[in-house]
Amino acid sequence: MFRVDRLSLLCLPLFAALLSVPATCQSASTAPAPELHVFDPSLIDKSVDPCDNFYRFACNGWFQRNPLPPDQIAYGRFTELFELNRLHLKQILEQAAVPSPTRTANEQKIGDEYASCMDVDAINRAGLTPLQPELDRIAALKSAAELPAEIGHLQTIGVNAFFGMGSNPDFADANSVISFYGAGGLGLPERDYYTRTDAKSVEQRKQYVDHVARMFVLAGEPESQARADADTVLAIETRLAKASLTITEQRDPQNLNHPTDLASFTRTLTHFSLANYVAATHAPDSGKMNDMEPKFFAEFNALLGDTPLDQIKIYLRWHLLHAFAGTSLPTAFDEESWHFYSHVLNGAEKQEERWKRCTSRVDREMGEALGQVYVSRYFPPEAKQRALEMTLAIEQAMGRDIESLDWMSPETKAKAMEKLHAVMNKIGYPDKWRDYSKLEIVRGDALGNEERSSQFEFARDLAKIGKPVDKSEWMMSPPTVNAYYDPQQNNVNFPAGYFQPPFFSDKEDDAANYGDMGSTIGHELTHGFDDQGRQFDKDGNLKDWWTKQDEQRFDERADCEVKQYDAIEAVPGVHLNGKLTLGENIADLGGLWIAWLAWLDKAEAAHLDMSAKTDGYTPDQRFWIAYAQQWCTQTRPEQLRTQAETDPHAPDEYRANTVLQDLPEFAKSFSCKKSDKMVVAKPCRVW
Ligand SMILES: [Zn+2]
């Protein structure tokens, strides 16, 4: 659960299961490009000097060919592949949706869930009726003493009520799974949206209150009542937000490590019966638990003590409506939710087609049932073999890089090498598929299916408490175009969906594949040694293995990157946050560097003629171009602002240019001069 993802498009924050993600990340769009390549000379704009703006040089052709579709907040090469995968998933789902006695149990579930989601007429006809039992439960609450059980129940059906609770390996003992309690309960993307005082943020809060009010009106409240209730929601969420850590503070696992136990945690929650909450959620007691943010839970407790029950009910009603607005409630709710989260916050002009959202929904709910079919059709064993070979080559290159560092002591190097050698590589899909037999999917019951899917996932997650960690488990579904490193398991995970053009191709040469997919493999490996990952040892325990002097030298190097990214103005008035993006920036630079080293080895072993040009470029130039072309992305200014404020990844333009500016080897390949923009006086380098 404590992990780092590579891409922003798919929006997977740390502790994603604990901090329920607001629907701000709708992506993807129209028909995918006909043929995709890793290195694509037709995307290059020769009128741009590669030493002036390499991103523009490598991507302008792509930009010209790919105007931003109206239903997109950003559209790039990741989206191209994401869309292609989604089209494949749609075909699988449409087949599975045809009732037939020969369907397998999994096909019945994914097919009927897809059909239920697609049946907008039935959803509109039903109105709020399917949600009425839940609305009635909240309305019937008679005293604050009943809240713990109700909050627990709402969380099991996927409602972001006040906080998050889930299983996670103990920071001190990565082999033992305990319960983690984390801050949550917000409707805006993250806590600073409630505290910033600039004009744009003030306006966004006003628009948020308007949105909440309109949702209440749709649920049957008179206008004036709805407005007052929306103000109540904002007031409660603002208190929660102010007591929460910033997203930058959350990056340091030490800030999130506060071991406690049921008795001690119970004593701090004087207005909230933890016993009743635990009974409602059926959370096993593993003895130890983690109160990730004590300040937040103190404020939550105080809030329950001094807020009238009627106001708490309003807050819960809002989060209930919000949780199901996407694809389970009538169109009016769906459109209202899209309007605020995708249009107002991120600039989308049109809503995605229904089939796309329903496909993504089934992937989210039953990703391994869908993924099993996907893998059998679209992930050949040869792709897995080549991916594994690349991963091993890049691991070896990283080992040689660590050995050659001039700033690290032999003592720390030995520990780093131990950790590197202990990294486990997971490629494609799980060895053992998830069992969905206990999940009931009823055709025609979209809302009930969504509730039961959340309950199934909640129970599956909690069942891990008190058991040894299952390192074979995956946090991403096989069709996902993304990858992650898990610091508590010390493993890298590359889903099958990623190993396709434009990121990887069996038909293209090593320069293209190492520049692109190789840099991603390097990126994930380097996460084990970024500002966050380096705090975990080879077994995944949060344990310092650095000498003081090496730690200081690491921090000095990291600080160079913090300053470099702090200086970038993403949209007028909004700079990138160098500390928030540090881990990703370290991984980008280190990952590309070790992919380069690994590729040089391959080239040398193959006696590659480094001066021979293909499509007009030498092999080393092709390596850098393939790297930059993976980042070709069009982004709306609204989304760019949201990204700068919330995303640990820098926008794609800088993931290309800023990283390359730090590598003199790149400048050498294109004969760039000191005075050129792609050359900086003092390049940063950690790994
Ligand atoms: Zn990453």
Side-chain angles (χ1 to χ4, degrees):
M1 205 184 298
F2 184 79
R3 59 142 184 266
V4 185
D5 68 293
R6 177 168 200 241
L7 307 171
S8 53
L9 283 174
L10 304 184
C11 200
L12 289 157
L14 296 176
F15 299 98
L18 287 183
L19 311 162
S20 79
V21 185
T24 53
C25 292
Q26 291 193 13
S27 60
S29 84
T30 51
E35 199 177 352
L36 305 172
H37 301 282
V38 181
F39 169 84
D40 191 339
S42 75
L43 305 184
I44 295 171
D45 181 352
K46 289 183 180 158
S47 73
V48 176
D49 178 355
C51 297
D52 185 59
N53 188 332
F54 196 71
Y55 186 58
R56 289 280 150 197
F57 164 79
C59 290
N60 264 357
W62 190 90
F63 295 140
Q64 278 152 19
R65 218 182 284 167
N66 295 278
L68 190 50
D71 63 345
Q72 297 294 292
I73 57 179
Y75 190 81
R77 308 210 79 200
F78 287 91
T79 343
E80 281 185 302
L81 180 54
F82 177 73
E83 286 300 328
L84 182 65
N85 277 347
R86 199 150 61 164
L87 212 55
H88 291 152
L89 296 180
K90 180 189 181 214
Q91 286 160 2
I92 293 169
L93 288 169
E94 284 177 344
Q95 280 172 9
V98 179
S100 145
T102 59
R103 285 193 299 179
T104 63
N106 272 354
E107 282 168 347
Q108 177 271 319
K109 289 185 210 297
I110 60 174
D112 284 353
E113 175 62 327
Y114 181 71
S116 308
C117 177
M118 287 299 290
D119 195 350
V120 186
D121 289 343
I123 291 169
N124 284 338
R125 271 197 309 275
L128 269 185
T129 307
L131 197 60
Q132 202 55 49
E134 294 300 335
L135 289 163
D136 290 346
R137 280 179 66 117
I138 295 171
L141 291 170
K142 289 193 178 55
S143 77
E146 293 170 9
L147 281 173
E150 180 59 16
I151 289 169
H153 165 73
L154 287 168
Q155 289 175 357
T156 67
I157 60 168
V159 178
N160 181 15
F162 288 109
F163 61 92
M165 189 272 290
S167 73
N168 203 70
D170 184 354
F171 279 129
D173 175 9
N175 284 319
S176 134
V177 182
I178 62 172
S179 54
F180 270 44
Y181 285 71
L186 308 180
L188 282 166
E190 60 94 25
R191 60 96 70 194
D192 284 349
Y193 278 72
Y194 295 85
T195 57
R196 273 192 291 262
T197 53
D198 62 283
K200 178 77 181 174
S201 302
V202 172
E203 173 65 16
Q204 281 176 334
R205 280 197 291 277
K206 199 182 144 295
Q207 290 168 309
Y208 176 58
V209 172
D210 290 346
H211 165 60
V212 176
R214 281 195 296 269
M215 291 284 280
F216 282 138
V217 169
L218 289 174
E221 283 188 24
E223 181 84 33
S224 59
Q225 177 71 45
R227 289 222 65 85
D229 287 356
D231 286 335
T232 298
V233 168
L234 183 70
I236 290 178
E237 290 184 358
T238 303
R239 279 183 71 176
L240 297 174
K242 284 182 173 163
S244 304
L245 293 177
T246 66
I247 43 178
T248 305
E249 288 164 342
Q250 284 177 358
R251 275 198 60 71
D252 186 347
Q254 298 288 0
N255 289 339
L256 302 172
N257 185 25
H258 305 282
T260 182
D261 55 44
L262 197 60
S264 311
F265 200 25
T266 297
R267 275 196 295 278
T268 66
L269 296 171
T270 51
H271 297 290
F272 183 81
S273 164
L274 197 58
N276 289 355
Y277 170 81
V278 166
T281 52
H282 305 291
D285 181 12
S286 54
K288 197 174 175 186
M289 50 177 63
N290 184 14
D291 170 6
M292 293 166 74
E293 296 195 30
K295 194 177 145 212
F296 171 87
F297 280 98
E299 181 62 15
F300 164 64
N301 184 55
L303 189 148
L304 289 188
D306 64 25
T307 308
L309 180 63
D310 281 346
Q311 292 188 11
I312 304 277
K313 288 172 160 188
I314 291 164
Y315 166 85
L316 293 177
R317 197 159 69 239
W318 149 244
H319 276 285
L320 177 68
L321 293 168
H322 175 54
F324 293 98
T327 44
S328 291
L329 288 181
T331 309
F333 289 91
D334 179 16
E335 285 178 350
E336 176 53 42
S337 188
W338 171 84
H339 178 265
F340 179 70
Y341 288 104
S342 293
H343 174 67
V344 172
L345 289 184
N346 289 303
E349 289 166 6
K350 185 175 157 261
Q351 195 170 26
E352 280 190 330
E353 287 174 70
R354 185 90 186 172
W355 73 263
K356 295 185 177 185
R357 296 187 291 131
C358 290
T359 302
S360 291
R361 168 171 165 168
V362 181
D363 183 46
R364 202 164 50 239
E365 293 173 345
M366 290 171 274
E368 291 195 12
L370 185 55
Q372 195 170 0
V373 188
Y374 172 85
V375 162
S376 70
R377 293 190 193 175
Y378 301 105
F379 191 59
E382 310 83 69
K384 184 164 179 163
Q385 190 49 40
R386 187 149 179 212
L388 200 57
E389 282 165 18
M390 276 176 76
T391 308
L392 293 175
I394 289 165
E395 263 175 23
Q396 281 170 10
M398 184 163 204
R400 286 196 301 279
D401 182 51
I402 291 172
E403 299 283 16
S404 72
L405 293 175
D406 58 5
W407 56 270
M408 189 183 264
S409 70
E411 204 182 333
T412 307
K413 274 183 189 176
K415 297 272 187 203
M417 291 301 285
E418 261 181 36
K419 179 166 180 175
L420 179 66
H421 290 142
V423 172
M424 190 168 90
N425 303 312
K426 282 157 67 184
I427 292 175
Y429 51 90
D431 295 333
K432 184 168 161 269
W433 294 99
R434 194 164 293 173
D435 175 8
Y436 292 98
S437 57
K438 289 203 177 111
L439 170 59
E440 190 195 4
I441 296 293
V442 178
R443 198 174 180 107
D445 186 13
L447 190 127
N449 290 341
E450 189 173 358
E451 286 179 330
R452 284 185 294 274
S453 295
S454 293
Q455 283 169 325
F456 172 82
E457 177 53 28
F458 198 92
R460 193 191 70 79
D461 179 54
L462 291 196
K464 292 187 264 182
I465 293 174
K467 298 196 184 118
V469 173
D470 176 8
K471 292 190 179 179
S472 68
E473 191 193 356
W474 283 68
M475 305 286 182
M476 287 179 181
S477 75
T480 305
V481 187
N482 208 337
Y484 68 96
Y485 169 78
D486 186 331
Q488 291 187 277
Q489 296 189 3
N490 196 23
N491 57 25
V492 288
N493 301 261
F494 301 99
Y498 209 163
F499 285 97
Q500 297 172 75
F503 303 109
F504 173 84
S505 169
D506 258 349
K507 298 189 189 78
E508 295 189 46
D509 66 358
D510 283 329
N513 280 317
Y514 274 75
D516 193 328
M517 183 55 75
S519 69
T520 297
I521 294 169
H523 172 104
E524 299 306 341
L525 269 177
T526 308
H527 269 316
F529 303 89
D530 70 14
D531 60 318
Q532 200 174 57
R534 73 165 193 85
Q535 300 188 51
F536 294 84
D537 70 9
K538 70 176 173 58
D539 299 315
N541 300 310
L542 184 57
K543 197 171 155 196
D544 195 359
W545 47 272
W546 292 64
T547 65
K548 273 282 154 267
Q549 194 183 35
D550 289 330
E551 186 180 1
Q552 198 187 336
R553 287 172 170 173
F554 176 92
D555 287 342
E556 280 164 15
R557 277 162 179 74
D559 198 46
C560 175
E561 290 209 46
V562 172
K563 291 198 177 84
Q564 188 176 32
Y565 285 83
D566 270 344
I568 295 171
E569 193 173 19
V571 286
V574 182
H575 281 247
L576 296 186
N577 178 342
K579 282 213 166 80
L580 174 65
T581 56
L582 179 59
E584 296 300 332
N585 299 334
I586 289 175
D588 278 345
L589 180 55
L592 179 58
W593 172 241
I594 57 175
W596 168 256
L597 294 179
W599 174 71
L600 282 182
D601 284 348
K602 283 276 286 189
E604 200 183 292
H607 304 291
L608 191 67
D609 179 356
M610 297 297 255
S611 60
K613 292 186 176 178
T614 312
D615 299 316
Y617 298 95
T618 57
D620 54 328
Q621 290 175 331
R622 292 159 54 81
F623 174 95
W624 304 117
I625 293 169
Y627 172 72
Q629 285 186 337
Q630 70 182 302
W631 300 119
C632 305
T633 305
Q634 312 255 35
T635 310
R636 290 186 194 280
E638 294 88 343
Q639 157 65 10
L640 211 48
R641 167 184 281 269
T642 305
Q643 199 180 343
E645 286 170 345
T646 62
D647 199 323
H649 306 82
D652 291 349
E653 177 181 348
Y654 311 108
R655 298 188 76 174
N657 276 355
T658 311
V659 171
L660 291 170
Q661 282 171 334
D662 283 334
L663 291 170
E665 289 74 11
F666 155 77
K668 205 173 148 211
S669 288
F670 286 90
S671 308
C672 299
K673 299 183 296 291
K674 268 187 185 164
S675 55
D676 288 327
K677 284 204 186 116
M678 288 303 299
V679 178
V680 290
K682 284 190 182 152
C684 301
R685 174 71 63 82
V686 179
W687 297 103

